[in-house]
Amino acid sequence: MKEQSIIKAYELAKQRYAELGVDVDAAMEKMKEVAISLHCWQTDDVGGFETPDAALSGGGIQATGNYPGKATSIAEVREDLEKVLKLLPGNQRLNLHAIYGDFGGEKVDRDQIEVKHYQSWIDWCKEQGIGMDFNASCFSHSKAADGFTLSSKNEENRKFWVEHLKRCRAISAEAGKQLGSPCVHNTWIPDGSKDTPIDRNGHRILLKKSLDEAMEIDYPKEYMKDAVESKLFGIGMESMTVGSHDFYLGYAIKNNILICLDNGHFHPTEQVGDKISSCLQFVDEVLLHVTRPVRWDSDHVVTLNEDVQLIASEIIRNDFLGRVNIGLDFFDASINRIGAYVTGTRAAQKAFLIAMLEPTKLLIEAEEAGQNFERLAMLEELKTMPFSAVWDYYCYKEGVPTGFNYIGKIQEYEKEVLSKR
Ligand code: RNT
Ligand code: ZN
């Protein structure tokens, strides 16, 4: 796209938005407050580098597809992430899973991990000038093979996962301390039952006990913040999920920690965008896992759809950016993974910029005056406002490819790097 046409289109768009009382430059400035945490697991289909043959298994998370070019080492994950960072406007963070530790070929079980195994990641984040978030990995492990981790009735296994979580929290606190930005530690467990269980309560008592034990140490909020992620069901766990939304929302409120809302983890007619203002009445902050469920928690690449738009709009309308931590959670192994990454992250960013270009005051005035036709009509008209001109200019100003142009950059990267793996 020619520089001239980007600027020209932007100037016209700016006028159109100004007619609605929207300040486009202020919106682009506000985009600085939107930090998106990039989930490292899009680079290698949630495999990790624990043992030579680490592979995703168990617990209802599934990456489908075998498109060539997947990252097979930490160096390759970083190479990919650096490429992704270059193609995105705005601010990002890294969201690391414990299985991505730098173990140097050594077999380090999850109850043995230490800060030293993640120091090279912390250093990498420092070099990139970004913050880091972290996740306990309670899946793809022999001690999770029976479908239970923190809620296991096998005391040896339960203790093992409690130890893992404790260590992950300590690593998070150290990462946050070193990077000068609080590390959000998220706990998600696959625990549940394929068929109708009897002792739902027993497992929930154990999960609560395990979380209490693992979270005994209170770290300063400037270093780390805890989040717990609920889920409705997983493949192979259709009948009961121990860590349900009711369970974790209760736990988060009681302990004033973060609730993690993954928009693939609810009934398809429920919208996470609607949950934010409910949860934030009772907890200080939430963590989001922005994803695209197609019929189930399929973790398709995020697109600019109404669900994602409602999430972004709710955050911006209510000035919740300081209380919402934004993570992504998709892993598509059937297409160019870096293309998936950039497309999905840009889609989430677009939703935020669109939200910032909304004349919210006008809409609220219509709503409060009972002018619901007018509200509906305005929302419809807003959908076709010249947003792309603003988006292109924003990308141009940020020094990243505008519009379709990032596609070619990813094709080049595929040719030069990914296809040689
Ligand atoms: C699984 C959860 C969880 C995982 C990641 C890898 O259903 O969404 O967040 O996707 O931790
Ligand atoms: Zn998730």
Side-chain angles (χ1 to χ4, degrees), residues 253-269:
I253 292 169
K254 189 157 184 202
N255 298 284
N256 198 19
I257 60 170
L258 283 62
I259 179 78
C260 171
L261 302 170
D262 179 314
N263 63 305
H265 289 191
F266 296 89
H267 186 278
T269 64

Side-chain angles (χ1 to χ4, degrees), residues 41 46 61 97 139 188 229 231 262 265 289 297 329 331:
W41 52 95
V46 212
I61 22 178
H97 239 292
F139 48 81
W188 172 75
E229 181 179 4
K231 185 161 175 161
D262 179 314
H265 289 191
H289 271 188
D297 182 28
D329 191 6
F331 30 98

Side-chain angles (χ1 to χ4, degrees), residues 272-287:
V272 158
D274 183 57
K275 296 180 188 295
I276 297 170
S277 63
S278 293
C279 294
L280 286 180
Q281 305 300 323
F282 304 103
V283 290
D284 289 343
E285 292 184 35
V286 301
L287 168 65

Side-chain angles (χ1 to χ4, degrees), residues 129-322:
I130 62 177
M132 183 178 131
D133 299 311
F134 200 58
N135 303 262
S137 306
C138 304
F139 48 81
S140 305
H141 191 281
S142 60
K143 287 194 162 64
D146 65 354
F148 294 101
T149 62
L150 290 174
S151 79
S152 179
K153 289 192 178 185
N154 174 327
E155 188 60 6
E156 191 196 319
N157 287 357
R158 191 186 72 80
K159 281 254 149 68
F160 174 88
W161 292 110
V162 168
E163 185 59 32
H164 176 59
L165 181 49
K166 270 189 191 164
R167 284 170 183 252
C168 286
R169 295 183 68 244
I171 292 160
S172 301
E174 181 59 25
K177 186 177 174 188
Q178 288 190 31
L179 294 168
S181 167
C183 172
V184 178
H185 178 272
N186 183 44
T187 302
W188 172 75
I189 57 165
D191 300 30
S193 177
K194 181 180 171 78
D195 222 328
T196 314
I198 307 302
D199 195 11
R200 297 166 193 261
N201 183 45
H203 287 290
R204 292 197 169 116
I205 290 172
L206 287 167
L207 177 53
K208 180 173 176 295
K209 183 174 167 203
S210 296
L211 292 171
D212 288 347
E213 286 170 15
M215 295 193 190
E216 217 167 52
I217 299 181
D218 246 338
Y219 293 102
K221 281 229 169 348
E222 311 88 78
Y223 296 167
M224 72 89 66
K225 301 183 226 175
D226 284 293
V228 282
E229 181 179 4
S230 68
K231 185 161 175 161
L232 182 60
F233 82 97
I235 298 284
M237 301 290 175
E238 289 84 358
S239 296
M240 191 255 315
T241 295
V242 183
S244 61
H245 188 53
D246 315 64
F247 179 93
Y248 279 132
L249 186 57
Y251 195 85
I253 292 169
K254 189 157 184 202
N255 298 284
N256 198 19
I257 60 170
L258 283 62
I259 179 78
C260 171
L261 302 170
D262 179 314
N263 63 305
H265 289 191
F266 296 89
H267 186 278
T269 64
E270 284 187 271
Q271 287 182 301
V272 158
D274 183 57
K275 296 180 188 295
I276 297 170
S277 63
S278 293
C279 294
L280 286 180
Q281 305 300 323
F282 304 103
V283 290
D284 289 343
E285 292 184 35
V286 301
L287 168 65
L288 296 176
H289 271 188
V290 183
T291 186
R292 178 163 55 107
V294 177
R295 301 188 190 280
W296 71 288
D297 182 28
S298 60
D299 290 298
H300 276 67
V301 179
V302 169
T303 56
L304 183 55
N305 63 20
E306 286 197 338
D307 287 338
V308 174
Q309 191 57 60
L310 184 64
I311 290 173
S313 296
E314 277 296 301
I315 295 169
I316 300 308
R317 284 171 186 158
N318 298 298
D319 206 9
F320 282 154
L321 273 176

